[in-house]
Amino acid sequence: MVEKPPQTLSPNIESDAINLAAGGVRLKTLVYIRWLAVLGQALTVILVHLVFGYDLPLLPIALLIGASAILNLLVGLNRKSSTRLPNRGAILYLFYDILQLAGLLYFTGGLTNPFSVLFLVPVTISATNLTRQGTFFLGLTTLACLSVLAVFYEPLPLPSGSLYLSNTYILAIWAALVLGTIFLSGYAWMIAADSRKMSDALTIARAELAREQQLSAVGGIAAAAAHELGTPLNTILLVSEELKQALPEGSDTAEDAALLHDQAKKCAEVLAQLSRGPETERFIKGSEHHNFLALDNLFSLVTEKYKDGDKEFVIQTHGKQADIPRLFLTAELRHGLGNLISNAAEFAALQVTIDLYWNDNLVRAEICDDGPGFSEEILDRLGEPYMSSRRGKGGMGLGVFIADMLIRRSGGELSFANKEDGGAIVEILWSRRQLEKSDPFSN
């Protein structure tokens, strides 16, 4: 079976596909939570009624608790516990839990019941796992139930002389629960959304890196095939040349031999090009341990790929050349620096300048362009996934995020700024000890 190369989807399609695959909640989780709720509710009713002697309306309470238990059994039997409920199914599941809790509280004191705080649970679960619309719907349902229970409820059968809760205090409880619901659901949604966004972007970044590795492997196979085909092709060239000389000049056979020789010569030129590989790879070996380079040579090799356009690249060093850092050209550095330099070349008007600084402790690189610079609105958020780096251009906003992730793996830190006279600055700061390795050929 032939494996198909990974396909690159459009930003919206790929993001939606990932969110759809990860959406919803595991049924097993909701079933466990509901069983805990059923057991807790039943135990509480038994203790209050039998141990403390309060006269509760047992029939409607038992019906509500029993309905939850039966529904849980039916759901557990009809679906596998590993099933992940879609958003709509999970929302309906939690919607029922809110209504069931509201029913229990109606018969047991409304908001004067301390267990009214459990209204926060379904909304928090929704905020961390479901869509914004589903969380908004469940939040409105919770607020509606809280408002109704603040006015309509069966009072607890407290003994005479017990603490009396005034309407003002009940209003305060209502306000506390409403604010708690809004705050917790909003906070949980923001944290979960950031986590999902990072997870989605990392998934896409891994897919892009895998694609790059696959393309690199294909290039290696092509070069190997070119090497293997070289010998038989040289034989064809030699034989066709001898045939062309041996056959009568001007004959059809001689013309065919000449045509065969010319076509074989073109094939040889193509194979020779495949064997050499792209210009940017001429000095890069397959193993990073053979790519021990000076810092300026590292940036020269990375920028070589982008010099075919109309942008000028200038690399300036600021330090003693004899003390210039030397390091391995790893895949992380190649792809990370490549993304940053590609971004600068895309938005530069004429020139991209790379300034390199170093001392005994630190190594610093500044990539500057003479383009429009970064948008002030998103300057502080650069490096986050799906945050496009420039005004009116850019794709998913993953280039800077991927670069930041890869540079961090090499021990570096990224920062972004705009020049006073226009253009963008990307600064990379490494610890020299962490970036630089000992020369593997020194012994």
Side-chain angles (χ1 to χ4, degrees):
M1 181 179 295
V2 180
E3 294 184 0
K4 296 181 179 180
Q7 298 179 352
T8 302
L9 304 177
S10 67
N12 292 334
I13 295 176
E14 188 156 7
S15 179
D16 291 345
I18 292 174
N19 288 330
L20 181 61
V25 187
R26 286 182 62 197
L27 179 62
K28 184 177 181 180
T29 302
L30 293 179
V31 168
Y32 279 165
I33 292 175
R34 181 174 287 174
W35 278 127
L36 288 175
V38 167
L39 292 176
Q41 291 165 0
L43 181 60
T44 302
V45 171
I46 292 172
L47 287 175
V48 171
H49 184 73
L50 298 180
V51 178
F52 296 106
Y54 291 99
D55 187 17
L56 298 175
L58 293 180
L59 181 59
I61 292 176
L63 289 175
L64 287 169
I65 297 176
S68 289
I70 293 173
L71 183 59
N72 226 25
L73 284 173
L74 293 176
V75 171
L77 292 175
N78 291 332
R79 296 196 180 190
K80 295 181 179 180
S81 59
S82 59
T83 301
R84 182 174 288 274
L85 286 178
N87 282 297
R88 180 173 297 180
I91 289 168
L92 292 175
Y93 199 97
L94 295 173
F95 177 70
Y96 169 81
D97 288 338
I98 294 173
L99 295 183
Q100 190 256 7
L101 178 60
L104 287 175
L105 291 175
Y106 172 78
F107 292 106
T108 56
L111 298 188
T112 63
N113 190 323
F115 290 101
S116 58
V117 71
L118 294 176
F119 272 119
L120 299 175
V121 175
V123 182
T124 304
I125 293 175
S126 174
T128 53
N129 295 278
L130 305 181
T131 61
R132 183 188 291 111
Q133 293 84 353
T135 302
F136 184 73
F137 169 73
L138 293 176
L140 287 180
T141 303
T142 300
L143 297 182
C145 291
L146 289 172
S147 301
V148 171
L149 290 173
V151 181
F152 304 102
Y153 60 90
E154 294 292 331
L156 287 171
L158 299 174
S160 58
S162 298
L163 179 65
Y164 171 76
L165 299 180
S166 65
N167 292 333
T168 303
Y169 191 81
I170 295 175
L171 178 62
I173 295 175
W174 174 86
L177 290 173
V178 168
L179 293 176
T181 300
I182 296 174
F183 173 78
L184 281 180
S185 59
Y187 180 76
W189 168 259
M190 292 175 61
I191 296 299
D194 286 343
S195 177
R196 286 191 291 265
K197 188 184 295 184
M198 293 291 290
S199 177
D200 293 351
L202 283 172
T203 300
I204 297 173
R206 292 191 188 101
E208 288 297 319
L209 288 176
R211 178 175 173 272
E212 291 289 338
Q213 291 173 355
Q214 189 176 45
L215 291 176
S216 178
V218 170
I221 294 172
H227 177 73
E228 294 295 328
L229 292 173
T231 300
L233 191 60
N234 288 331
T235 302
I236 294 173
L237 282 170
L238 179 62
V239 172
S240 61
E241 179 67 24
E242 291 176 351
L243 286 173
K244 186 172 65 172
Q245 295 176 0
L247 292 170
E249 186 177 355
S251 65
D252 293 340
T253 310
E255 292 179 357
D256 291 341
L259 178 62
L260 176 63
H261 183 271
D262 291 340
Q263 295 300 316
K265 189 175 181 181
K266 290 182 179 179
C267 291
E269 293 174 354
V270 172
L271 290 179
Q273 184 178 3
L274 286 176
S275 299
R276 289 195 302 269
E279 291 299 312
T280 56
E281 306 291 335
R282 277 191 302 169
F283 307 107
I284 299 178
K285 306 298 182 182
S287 172
E288 63 197 40
H289 297 288
H290 296 143
N291 299 322
F292 194 73
L293 307 170
L295 184 65
D296 54 349
N297 291 336
L298 163 68
F299 279 87
S300 295
L301 284 174
V302 174
T303 56
E304 188 75 24
K305 178 180 179 181
Y306 308 100
K307 289 184 177 180
D308 294 337
D310 56 351
K311 310 297 171 60
E312 180 186 5
F313 289 86
V314 178
I315 300 176
Q316 303 175 143
T317 58
H318 306 270
K320 297 179 180 179
Q321 197 66 26
D323 189 40
I324 190 170
R326 297 178 62 83
L327 61 149
F328 294 121
L329 177 54
T330 62
E332 288 84 2
L333 282 173
R334 287 178 60 190
H335 290 293
L337 294 175
N339 277 351
L340 295 175
I341 292 172
S342 172
N343 190 66
E346 179 181 358
F347 292 96
L350 297 173
Q351 187 179 85
V352 176
T353 304
I354 301 174
D355 291 290
L356 305 176
Y357 306 83
W358 63 87
N359 57 29
D360 293 337
N361 299 316
L362 297 174
V363 177
R364 180 162 60 94
E366 289 185 358
I367 303 173
C368 309
D369 63 65
D370 56 355
F374 297 115
S375 172
E376 295 293 340
E377 292 80 9
I378 55 94
L379 189 57
D380 293 335
R381 299 183 60 191
L382 284 175
E384 296 181 13
Y386 305 110
M387 183 58 61
S388 185
S389 56
R390 307 291 180 109
R391 303 180 184 96
K393 286 189 178 182
M396 299 177 67
L398 282 176
V400 176
F401 167 74
I402 294 173
D404 183 60
M405 179 184 66
L406 296 177
I407 294 297
R408 286 180 184 275
R409 287 190 62 181
S410 72
E413 294 287 339
L414 280 180
S415 60
F416 307 89
N418 287 321
K419 296 190 294 185
E420 293 183 358
D421 55 347
I425 303 175
V426 178
E427 181 185 84
I428 315 169
L429 191 64
W430 289 280
S431 165
R432 180 163 182 167
R433 177 180 297 180
Q434 188 170 0
L435 177 68
E436 192 174 36
K437 309 293 182 181
S438 59
D439 189 341
F441 310 110
S442 60
N443 294 327

